[in-house]
Amino acid sequence: MIKIQISKTHQSKIRKGYPWVFKYQIQNQIPDENQENLGVIYDHNNHFLAVGLWDPCSDLCFRVLNLGKPQAIDRGFFRERLQSAIKIRQGLESQGTTGYRVINGENDGFPGLVLDRYEDTLVLKLYTTSWFLFLDELCELFQNEFKSQQVVLRLARNVSKSLESGSTYRDGQILYGHGDSGWVQFKENGLKFAADVIAGQKTGFFLDQRENRLKIGEMAKGRSVLNVFSYSGGFSVYAWAGGCGSVVEVDSNPFALETSLRNMKLNFPEKSFPAENFVQKEGDAFQMLARLKSEKRFFDLVILDPPAFARKKKHKALALDAYTNLAQAGAQLTSGVLFAASCSAHVPANEFYDAVYLGIRSAGKKCEEIARTEHAQDHPATFPEAFYLKSTYIRVGP
Ligand code: SAH
């Protein structure tokens, strides 16, 4: 194993559960040529501190697997971790949910690895190449545990980029089973969804918004809904099931809009979509919101769930401006409820909320917060960087 040395301050952070070491934080020379995928940290007294995944191709080169005492990193270790993760999600299936996150990376003891279940299909997403050496073992373990018919591999952009041509692995590869397309069907709170786990964003669906979708469904009755950044129509399906009066969806991606139609038809086969009270608008959200304002359109419930505006720390200020502009544009279109969410890990919750309130005030509107929400049960967060999702429900006055 690669031995790495870090400062005393960092040692104490790691001891308290922080899971990452970046290249610039390593204090010893590490030979360039090595095939190891595991590393170990000893503290300043030369006592074992942690064992973790070693990834020389990434700036984030060490991710803690186990703390405190040496431990064999083998099938038994992974099985135990998987079973703890499964325990946390118990109960979801009895709520009519067969699409959920089984492993949320570092937060479930599998750093840089996400496992999502879509009924009979498992989607394994890797954020580091270090997992490749364990892949056969993990695939077998996961498949046995869930008796799934298919295991699909998804690779984060940096992992895909670092692969040489002719590599054994590629994004979208079917590790187990033999599906001829990436489309899978699953349930969320009893509602049906289809997702493309090979070509879709994330692992195919934004599973992290399940609890917010449920809440939106509960408040939708009789309301006209504007669903901005609608992707595969998760919020629209819940709003419709909750008895809303109408839906307007906005997304720049035609594939997203098509998938949303597919999901509406799946749940409400007796109605044809699109319809007078179910309209889709393809285009840039900021431009669409401006157009709706110029058309003097008004909605009872506005949903703003954009992609991560800050993918890097240095984009935080720009992202905050964008959240403010979006909230301003959304608030101008309602005197009802505004739901605003952010999935930018680099934007802290309080700064996001401030940006949203600034936007609503700039629209000349009064506002009163109804609720704030964070991560769902199947997306536990155990260290600061893992708290990426935050959202707020706001009553917007005239
Ligand atoms: N609310 C969705 C998830 C949103 S993901 C859900 O519940 O599943 C973000 C979506 O924003 C994607 O579908 C993407 O196509 C869309 N998008 C990204 N930039 C956009 C822009 N400038 N204008 C409109 N849509 C955009």
Side-chain angles (χ1 to χ4, degrees):
M1 283 188 207
I2 295 291
K3 286 187 185 166
I4 67 173
Q5 283 168 5
I6 52 173
S7 70
K8 273 193 190 174
T9 322
H10 203 135
Q11 287 169 26
S12 92
K13 235 176 133 178
I14 297 273
R15 195 169 278 118
K16 287 183 195 139
Y18 187 74
W20 291 343
V21 178
F22 288 86
K23 257 189 192 150
Y24 74 91
Q25 294 168 320
I26 293 188
Q27 296 182 330
N28 55 321
Q29 264 325 92
I30 295 186
D32 278 346
E33 288 302 314
N34 66 73
Q35 300 291 316
E36 301 287 347
N37 71 333
L38 288 176
V40 65
I41 305 178
Y42 290 93
D43 69 10
H44 53 286
N45 291 321
N46 212 22
H47 292 143
F48 174 91
L49 178 58
V51 61
L53 292 175
W54 170 250
D55 181 357
C57 304
S58 169
D59 279 341
L60 172 44
C61 60
F62 181 86
R63 300 168 189 249
V64 173
L65 275 167
N66 202 52
L67 262 186
K69 58 180 191 313
Q71 157 96 42
I73 306 301
D74 56 13
R75 185 179 293 248
F77 173 81
F78 293 133
R79 185 182 301 115
E80 211 171 285
R81 290 266 162 108
L82 175 64
Q83 276 161 359
S84 310
I86 291 174
K87 217 178 252 168
I88 300 176
R89 281 85 178 168
Q90 259 169 9
L92 282 173
E93 199 153 352
S94 63
Q95 293 161 20
T97 296
T98 58
Y100 57 91
R101 180 146 298 181
V102 181
I103 294 176
N104 194 30
E106 282 72 355
N107 312 285
D108 282 304
F110 285 87
L113 180 156
V114 156
L115 183 69
D116 286 344
R117 179 184 168 203
Y118 294 94
E119 209 155 295
D120 293 330
T121 293
L122 294 173
V123 185
L124 175 61
K125 180 146 183 181
L126 300 183
Y127 292 84
T128 164
T129 53
S130 316
W131 281 112
F132 285 150
L133 281 178
F134 295 115
L135 209 51
D136 290 345
E137 202 167 359
L138 286 179
C139 181
E140 200 184 317
L141 176 67
F142 296 157
Q143 198 275 328
N144 278 341
E145 197 63 46
F146 290 96
K147 304 284 171 269
S148 48
Q149 290 175 7
Q150 210 182 21
V151 183
V152 175
L153 178 68
R154 296 296 305 267
L155 300 176
R157 221 169 294 155
N158 62 318
V159 173
S160 272
K161 261 197 212 156
S162 71
L163 292 182
E164 286 156 15
S165 62
S167 156
T168 323
Y169 300 111
R170 63 178 165 74
D171 185 38
Q173 184 174 343
I174 296 178
L175 294 176
Y176 175 85
H178 41 261
D180 44 13
S181 88
W183 285 99
V184 297
Q185 212 175 298
F186 61 97
K187 286 204 273 316
E188 219 192 57
N189 291 307
L191 294 168
K192 294 178 197 155
F193 289 97
D196 186 338
V197 296
I198 290 177
Q201 297 185 41
K202 292 243 190 169
T203 60
F205 197 71
F206 286 82
L207 296 168
D208 54 358
Q209 289 288 26
R210 184 181 58 253
E211 290 181 0
N212 282 324
R213 285 192 276 269
L214 190 62
K215 232 170 149 56
I216 289 288
E218 284 163 3
M219 58 174 65
K221 197 165 181 59
R223 286 184 147 146
S224 53
V225 177
L226 174 63
N227 183 7
V228 189
F229 305 99
S230 50
Y231 188 48
S232 48
F235 284 106
S236 309
V237 169
Y238 276 71
W240 201 269
C244 72
S246 62
V247 171
V248 172
E249 290 189 333
V250 176
D251 203 287
S252 54
N253 180 349
F255 166 80
L257 293 170
E258 241 173 71
T259 311
S260 172
L261 279 189
R262 184 171 178 153
N263 284 327
M264 290 300 291
K265 288 173 186 164
L266 204 55
N267 287 281
F268 314 105
E270 69 288 352
K271 184 165 166 78
S272 66
F273 296 99
E276 205 183 319
N277 56 354
F278 188 93
V279 174
Q280 295 190 316
K281 292 184 182 291
E282 182 185 327
D284 173 67
F286 292 88
Q287 288 174 11
M288 282 297 171
L289 290 172
R291 189 183 300 169
L292 289 167
K293 181 177 177 245
S294 72
E295 291 168 359
K296 299 197 167 30
R297 294 290 305 273
F298 236 55
F299 300 87
D300 303 318
L301 176 57
V302 173
I303 298 162
L304 304 173
D305 181 27
F309 285 149
R311 291 195 190 278
K312 294 190 174 145
K313 213 173 188 171
K314 64 180 181 192
H315 297 148
K316 190 177 97 173
L318 278 177
L320 285 168
D321 281 349
Y323 288 124
T324 297
N325 293 339
L326 203 55
Q328 179 178 0
Q332 280 165 341
L333 298 176
T334 186
S335 290
V337 173
L338 182 81
F339 167 76
S342 161
C343 59
S344 301
H346 297 293
V347 173
N350 281 339
E351 293 184 46
F352 167 66
Y353 297 133
D354 287 348
V356 170
Y357 285 112
L358 178 62
I360 300 175
R361 282 196 304 275
S362 320
K365 296 273 190 160
K366 292 200 180 106
C367 55
E368 184 194 347
E369 186 163 80
I370 304 168
R372 285 181 183 184
T373 58
E374 281 185 353
H375 291 252
Q377 176 193 357
D378 57 338
H379 286 67
T382 56
F383 65 110
E385 287 83 346
F387 285 88
Y388 67 94
L389 190 64
K390 45 262 167 194
S391 22
T392 172
Y393 297 74
I394 304 158
R395 191 164 294 115
V396 178

